[in-house]
Amino acid sequence: MIPGKLTGAMDAPIIHQYRDRLLKKKGSLLCKRAFDLIVSALMLICLSPLLLVLAVVIKCDSRGPVFFRQERITTGGKPFRIFKFRTMVQDADKLGSAVTAPGDSRVTRVGDKLRTYRLDELPQLINVFLGQMTFVGTRPEVPQYVDAYTDEMRATLLLPAGITSNASIKFKDEQTILNQAMEEGCSDIDQAYVTRVLPAKMRYNLEYLQNFGLGEDFKLMWKTVMGVFFHQD
């Protein structure tokens, strides 16, 4: 998990500043990976009955696979295929934008419930166990959105993509922002995301890199649990 040598698009001076800061916290980074590995394994075992039930419900509700697999970007710009429970109709990624629009008709009945309580994210425990993701970190984006990153935004790729982050907590009503952007003249939902949502999210993600620590990770995980079950910020 410790950031490696920067090359190519990851070699901007601003990225080196973030990397140098992280390299001073090697112990915390190693503990973060150990925590990810142990806890993800335990959760996969303990939650396996729930995962099985959800898989059956998804399969009965609509045609298509149980899992949604899509290419995302993680450490150093490396692509990987994310695990999520499918919440949209089959081949939804071919029928519209990479982000979900307000009132998106592609979302299934069961999928809407899964999204509300973030149960669709549970299979990402597999990605965490494999080291492709971490519990707390910048949410993984699709390649087309990563292509829109500024040099400083690419610093978020120094660490694995995360299941949760302060940005994802603050932007849990992201669809409302996208809807407003469309009403104000954005040409499409992708432009709205890149120009309105992504830069705002990245301010939180870069702040997390600057203040990285295990204590901050535990606090963000607790805030995520409280936000899901009690709708608290």
Side-chain angles (χ1 to χ4, degrees):
M1 179 175 288
I2 296 175
K5 183 179 179 181
L6 303 178
T7 57
M10 294 290 291
D11 204 28
I14 188 66
I15 298 179
H16 281 284
Q17 295 178 27
Y18 284 95
R19 178 176 180 266
D20 291 344
R21 186 187 299 267
L22 288 172
L23 285 175
K24 294 177 182 178
K25 301 182 178 182
K26 290 182 179 180
S28 294
L29 289 167
L30 289 172
C31 288
K32 180 178 174 72
R33 176 54 191 153
F35 176 86
D36 286 344
L37 184 63
I38 295 170
V39 175
S40 63
L42 291 174
M43 289 184 70
L44 283 169
I45 294 170
C46 294
L47 293 175
S48 56
L50 173 61
L51 297 175
L52 179 60
V53 170
L54 292 177
V56 172
V57 171
I58 292 168
K59 198 66 179 177
C60 291
D61 179 62
S62 60
R63 185 172 59 89
V66 169
F67 293 118
F68 171 68
R69 304 295 310 280
Q70 185 183 53
E71 185 177 273
R72 301 289 179 94
I73 303 299
T74 189
T75 321
K78 183 179 179 180
F80 75 104
R81 288 177 62 78
I82 197 170
F83 280 97
K84 297 182 73 172
F85 277 132
R86 181 177 58 83
T87 60
M88 305 178 95
V89 297
Q90 189 173 16
D91 297 325
D93 54 332
K94 300 176 182 178
L95 303 174
S97 169
V99 294
T100 308
D104 202 313
S105 61
R106 296 175 297 170
V107 178
T108 64
R109 181 182 57 182
V110 168
D112 184 58
K113 298 298 183 183
L114 293 176
R115 284 168 175 256
T116 298
Y117 295 101
R118 296 187 67 174
L119 294 174
D120 59 315
E121 311 280 0
L122 287 178
Q124 289 168 49
L125 290 169
I126 300 171
N127 295 118
V128 174
F129 181 78
L130 294 175
Q132 298 163 333
M133 292 182 66
T134 181
F135 278 106
V136 179
T138 301
R139 288 294 298 158
E141 298 284 5
V142 296
Q144 73 183 80
Y145 294 148
V146 174
D147 287 342
Y149 281 11
T150 63
D151 284 344
E152 188 171 19
M153 288 179 183
R154 292 193 187 98
T156 60
L157 299 176
L158 288 168
L159 295 179
I163 290 180
T164 190
S165 66
N166 201 26
S168 60
I169 295 171
K170 296 291 186 181
F171 284 83
K172 60 184 179 182
D173 295 323
E174 177 180 303
Q175 292 186 2
T176 302
I177 300 172
L178 291 172
N179 191 38
Q180 181 180 358
M182 294 296 290
E183 291 176 353
E184 293 175 355
C186 283
S187 60
D188 56 53
I189 201 74
D190 289 318
Q191 183 196 33
Y193 183 78
V194 170
T195 60
R196 300 291 184 88
V197 176
L198 186 60
K201 279 184 172 181
M202 281 299 175
R203 285 195 290 272
Y204 289 108
N205 292 328
L206 291 169
E207 182 180 324
Y208 167 75
L209 281 184
Q210 292 172 337
N211 301 310
F212 168 74
L214 295 180
E216 181 68 13
D217 277 14
F218 292 137
K219 182 171 72 174
L220 287 173
M221 283 187 281
W222 176 249
K223 287 176 67 176
T224 299
V225 172
M226 296 299 289
V228 169
F229 291 103
F230 302 102
H231 304 288
Q232 296 181 6
D233 293 329

